[in-house]
Amino acid sequence: MSILVINCGSSSVKYKLFEVPSFRLVTKGLIEKIGESNSACRSHYQAVLSVFSRIKSCGIDIKDISGIGHRVVHGGEKFKKPTLITSKVIKEIRKYSRLAPLHNPVNLAGILASRKVLSKVRQVAVFDTAFHQTIPKYAYIYGLPFEFYSKFKIRRYGFHGTSHQYVASRASAMLKKPLSRLKLITVHLGNGCSIAAVDRGRCIETSMGFTPLEGLIMGTRCGDIDPAVVFYMINRLGLSPSKIEDILNTKSGLLGISGLSNDIRMIKRAGSKRSLRARLCLDMFVYRIKKYIAAYAGILNEVQAVIFTAGIGENNPDIIKRITKDLGRFLKRKPRILTIPTDEELMIARLTCGKL
Ligand code: ADP
């Protein structure tokens, strides 16, 4: 028997097929550039249909698939756990497309295509926001008039939840201590970057907010800025809201500051050749993460481990060293620094098999 995991991104579909109960990886793949003129796949729906053809072409009988796990970006306040997909759940996920317009619709397309091919197989939605649903109210509500929360559900949701949850559980195995006895800070540094405070297995704070724009400096997203900057851009610089949205999401962060790239490898190379903007960019990236770690250490009181993951977190020991070198100064006991490769698909496969 096997479990298929489908992870639809805004222009790609990743999939992994695991044998159960061993969770051995059987096959995996990636379909990119969906919808672009030179792509074979015009839509996510079509791309997911072709995932099943690819699996069949590996000589695997798709009748052996006993469950399908889908990554769904936004589960709002409704979904706190992995959820068996029914028509009612599909309606709810569609409702949250308002909050994640680039992601929930493509996640849904993946679900619908999978239901078309394997209508009888158990399908489970695993939400990026779910792990953060334990964050207390005083931490997730913004300092706006309360109706913006009560009527419009504007609040911190947090993202990358499956990755934070996975590396926290791996850290518990590596430290040989149950999660219930650990206070951890998990730092996901990929193209998107976020950080979470995990108190005895429960997330109590995270840096991404209403959208994935808040918090750390990222590949192309700005992270925290004064919201009044946006009004200045509109009123004084004459920029339109959609132009500003594009600047904050796709032209800022490492790319915008360095003027070179969103790839940290290129920025480090330029920094070593004395590019001042590249150096500033690395200083800012490191500083923002240090600031968040210190804040989270403050709310956790003690920290047994700080865990780094994703493309930047897993491959740049020099950056990790710069971030963590002063940690021992303000914590009674210096935490362990761990680098743990993330595997959101494996976590989704495990959650798909679990009791719901
Ligand atoms: P995504 O969030 O798109 O899944 P990744 O987790 O793959 O992104 O992280 C992408 C970033 O990780 C790249 O922009 C690059 O800066 C960094 N990265 C990836 N591989 C390496 C590597 N081998 N060495 C250094 N940095 C890397």
Side-chain angles (χ1 to χ4, degrees), residues 136-265:
K137 213 166 196 166
Y138 56 75
Y140 71 65
I141 295 189
Y142 291 119
L144 292 167
F146 192 72
E147 310 78 78
F148 286 92
Y149 167 63
S150 57
K151 276 198 198 149
F152 305 113
K153 297 293 170 209
I154 295 177
R155 50 160 283 182
R156 174 181 311 287
Y157 289 101
F159 300 88
H160 290 148
T162 312
S163 175
H164 288 289
Q165 186 177 9
Y166 175 75
V167 296
S169 83
R170 289 285 306 128
S172 148
M174 286 166 78
L175 298 170
K176 299 193 173 60
K177 272 195 180 172
L179 270 176
S180 57
R181 287 181 48 210
L182 288 172
K183 295 196 180 197
L184 305 171
I185 296 176
T186 50
V187 192
H188 178 113
L189 303 177
N191 259 317
C193 300
S194 70
I195 173 163
V198 185
D199 184 355
R200 291 162 289 189
R202 288 163 64 86
C203 180
I204 59 162
E205 179 61 286
T206 193
S207 58
M208 283 180 168
F210 180 60
T211 73
L213 192 53
E214 192 180 346
L216 303 178
I217 290 173
M218 315 185 204
T220 61
R221 295 183 208 133
C222 58
D224 297 334
I225 58 167
D226 179 346
V229 170
V230 174
F231 313 123
Y232 191 89
M233 286 174 154
I234 295 172
N235 298 328
R236 300 284 166 153
L237 308 181
L239 298 175
S240 68
S242 63
K243 177 79 187 159
I244 296 170
E245 196 173 10
D246 183 53
I247 291 171
L248 303 190
N249 276 294
T250 70
K251 310 271 189 305
S252 301
L254 297 179
L255 172 67
I257 304 156
S258 69
L260 292 169
S261 169
N262 60 337
D263 192 319
I264 202 138
R265 288 166 285 197

